[in-house]
Amino acid sequence: MLLLEDKEIDLFVASRIGSFKHVKYHTDVGKNTKKCIENLVDIKSLQKDDSILCMEWGNTEQTEILLARKNRKIEIYDTEIGFRKSYSVNFGEGNIIGVARCSKGILAGVASGVVHIWGDKDFEIENPIVIQTGGKLDRVKVWKHGDIFATGGEENDLKVWKIDEEKPIFIAKNLPHDWLQLRRPIWVTDLTFLEENLLAVCSRHGYIRLYDTQIQRRPITHIETPGMAATCIANGFDERQVFVGFGRGHLHQVDFTKSRLDKGYKGAAGAITSIALCERERLIVSSSLDRHLRVHERDSKNCVYKQYLTSKLVQVLVQSQRNTAFKVVVKDESDVEPIQTVKLDQTDELDDIFENMETISETRKKPSSEPQETEVKKLRPSLEGSTVDTSEDPILKLLKSTEKTRKKREKIKREKKQKSLFYNA
């Protein structure tokens, strides 16, 4: 794909240690440097429970980001101002597995299967809407154009809910038993809305399914990926297409019309944790546990950008509606440290010091009161371990000892030969 103009694409990346970064990707590859990365959180102030679990856009203008942390706090980040507010979640058990903004306010779900909906933006309502999904949850997603959200998890198949109702409007039905009459296991790791009535899910048990809530409860398309546990799923550029990431680092485009994996995008060495699309430039942005952020071209499948971000990445968001500038702090002139200049007098002193220094090649003479030089006796090394000069040469002594041992060995051989039976016979 040929890109004639240089375009900036803003990426917001979250990690497991709690760091939150702003990355600017340039379509002109020469401009992508380390200066295009900005930390939005002070890394030194992070603690063990500050890990970011999930994040989503809070509005259609893409100026607000909702972040959910492991310490059960939901933070609101404004791309122009910064962190505005943070709220604590005091319902259910387990980590927060999904947060989004809906028409009624803010929706959040926890791993124990409880979903709360606050009608006020500031979480100040006394009686929020509480929905019990009836099982463990791994993902909660909200349809962007309506009051509908979907849930799924381990042995908790896809369910579609309305915000005002406590019972689901759609419950998925599992496929029939296999040829051994064994029940097929269910584990929904991620899901996405293609349309209001079309949903796609991926599973850790190695399958991808497409559901139509207006036709039937069972999936209309089922694609198996044996030995490949799916971790995340995202909408594709065309209809009936999605992008799926797997635990072994594979990233594939899935075409439901062909009922198979279509294109593969290589490069990742760890599990794919998140996928986001840049629709105008038709680029695929992915994050993985190998701590790299990658950008692939959709048609050529080439990796045009790869950046190491020093921590395990959880999720990435692409800001396609607008651009966000870096927050550069301009210091006052009083705060800026002046550049140290070396005076001429100091340079002269340094030159004198270097000229008077002794070089390594020069040999130092020991101070002696006698003008005559004393001859040093040369000591020859010996194999016997002594370096003291004796009256007899150590080499001659060594030769004599070896000659004696040789004669002894020959004498022993002769004696053995005389005693042998063959010699006597």
Side-chain angles (χ1 to χ4, degrees):
M1 183 177 68
L2 296 175
L3 300 174
L4 301 177
E5 298 180 0
D6 177 34
K7 297 181 180 179
E8 294 182 358
I9 301 172
D10 293 285
L11 310 175
F12 293 90
V13 190
S15 70
R16 281 191 176 182
I17 64 172
S19 61
F20 183 47
K21 298 183 179 182
H22 175 204
V23 181
K24 270 191 179 295
Y25 167 69
H26 295 268
T27 55
D28 185 2
V29 182
K31 296 184 179 180
N32 292 319
T33 60
K34 291 184 178 180
K35 295 182 180 179
C36 299
I37 302 173
E38 179 186 24
N39 285 316
L40 303 176
V41 178
D42 186 10
I43 298 176
K44 296 181 180 179
S45 64
L46 295 176
Q47 297 180 0
K48 187 177 181 180
D49 295 335
D50 290 338
S51 173
I52 298 176
L53 302 175
C54 57
M55 64 178 184
E56 291 290 340
W57 290 112
N59 53 8
T60 56
E61 293 81 11
Q62 295 183 348
T63 58
E64 183 183 77
I65 301 175
L66 303 176
L67 296 96
R69 296 187 181 270
K70 194 175 181 180
N71 55 8
R72 297 175 69 84
K73 287 186 177 180
I74 297 175
E75 297 180 351
I76 299 177
Y77 177 81
D78 195 324
T79 57
E80 298 177 356
I81 302 172
F83 286 96
R84 290 195 288 116
K85 295 179 181 179
S86 65
Y87 308 101
S88 59
V89 175
N90 299 320
F91 64 90
E93 296 179 356
N95 296 327
I96 302 172
I97 47 88
V99 60
R101 192 178 290 278
C102 58
S103 61
K104 297 288 183 178
I106 294 178
L107 180 145
V110 294
S112 60
V114 184
V115 177
H116 271 215
I117 302 168
W118 290 270
D120 190 16
K121 294 182 180 180
D122 297 335
F123 288 26
E124 296 176 355
I125 191 169
E126 296 181 356
N127 299 318
I129 301 173
V130 182
I131 297 175
Q132 298 287 342
T133 60
K136 296 180 180 179
L137 290 183
D138 278 14
R139 189 66 64 197
V140 175
K141 285 285 183 72
V142 178
W143 171 238
K144 56 184 177 181
H145 298 300
D147 298 335
I148 296 174
F149 68 94
T151 60
E154 184 179 3
E155 294 302 331
N156 188 7
D157 211 345
L158 175 68
K159 295 179 183 178
V160 182
W161 308 74
K162 272 193 175 180
I163 293 176
D164 298 332
E165 300 179 5
E166 296 183 357
K167 292 184 179 181
I169 59 175
F170 175 81
I171 301 176
K173 189 176 181 180
N174 197 7
L175 291 177
H177 296 345
D178 59 6
W179 63 280
L180 290 174
Q181 295 302 313
L182 297 176
R183 177 184 172 274
R184 299 175 186 267
I186 297 171
W187 194 338
V188 177
T189 54
D190 200 2
L191 57 94
T192 183
F193 281 89
L194 302 181
E195 296 178 5
E196 186 175 0
N197 60 317
L198 281 177
L199 294 97
V201 303
C202 63
S203 173
R204 189 164 294 182
H205 292 301
Y207 64 79
I208 305 160
R209 295 175 180 176
L210 178 66
Y211 292 90
D212 192 338
T213 59
Q214 296 180 352
I215 296 177
Q216 61 184 18
R217 292 174 57 191
R218 280 182 172 161
I220 58 175
T221 306
H222 174 79
I223 301 171
E224 290 189 0
T225 57
M228 298 171 63
T231 55
C232 56
I233 190 171
N235 291 10
F237 295 104
D238 302 329
E239 295 181 358
R240 301 294 180 97
Q241 285 185 355
V242 293
F243 289 93
V244 183
F246 296 91
R248 293 185 179 180
H250 301 286
L251 175 60
H252 284 276
Q253 176 182 302
V254 179
D255 193 346
F256 287 112
T257 59
K258 300 177 182 178
S259 298
R260 62 180 176 85
L261 302 181
D262 192 7
K263 293 182 179 180
Y265 301 88
K266 300 179 181 180
I272 305 296
T273 56
S274 177
I275 304 170
L277 303 182
C278 185
E279 296 183 358
R280 292 180 181 177
E281 286 74 21
R282 299 181 76 80
L283 298 173
I284 306 161
V285 185
S286 62
S287 61
S288 59
L289 291 183
D290 62 357
R291 309 182 183 193
H292 279 86
L293 181 70
R294 292 179 175 84
V295 180
H296 289 85
E297 290 182 349
R298 189 249 182 172
D299 298 328
S300 64
K301 301 188 292 184
N302 295 329
C303 182
V304 295
Y305 177 71
K306 181 175 72 171
Q307 181 62 48
Y308 180 75
L309 295 179
T310 71
S311 58
K312 294 181 179 179
L313 307 181
V314 175
Q315 196 165 356
V316 58
L317 296 178
V318 176
Q319 190 178 34
S320 57
Q321 300 295 329
R322 52 189 301 167
N323 291 329
T324 301
F326 283 136
K327 298 180 179 179
V328 180
V329 180
V330 180
K331 296 183 179 180
D332 298 332
E333 294 181 357
S334 59
D335 297 337
V336 179
E337 297 181 356
I339 300 173
Q340 295 181 358
T341 57
V342 181
K343 297 181 180 179
L344 294 175
D345 298 338
Q346 293 179 356
T347 55
D348 295 338
E349 292 177 359
L350 291 172
D351 292 338
D352 296 337
I353 291 170
F354 282 113
E355 286 178 359
N356 296 326
M357 287 179 66
E358 296 181 358
T359 58
I360 297 173
S361 61
E362 293 180 357
T363 56
R364 297 181 182 178
K365 297 180 180 180
K366 295 182 180 179
S368 60
S369 59
E370 298 178 359
Q372 296 179 357
E373 295 181 356
T374 58
E375 294 182 357
V376 181
K377 295 182 179 179
K378 296 182 180 180
L379 303 179
R380 296 180 181 180
S382 66
L383 298 175
E384 295 181 357
S386 64
T387 57
V388 181
D389 190 10
T390 58
S391 59
E392 190 177 1
D393 194 359
I395 298 175
L396 295 174
K397 192 181 287 186
L398 178 62
L399 292 173
K400 288 179 181 180
S401 63
T402 53
E403 186 68 20
K404 286 180 181 180
T405 53
R406 188 181 64 79
K407 288 180 179 180
K408 285 181 181 180
R409 289 176 181 175
E410 288 180 356
K411 188 178 179 181
I412 292 168
K413 285 182 180 180
R414 274 189 255 109
E415 291 177 355
K416 286 183 178 180
K417 191 175 182 181
Q418 290 175 2
K419 293 179 182 180
S420 63
L421 295 174
F422 294 101
Y423 184 79
N424 295 329

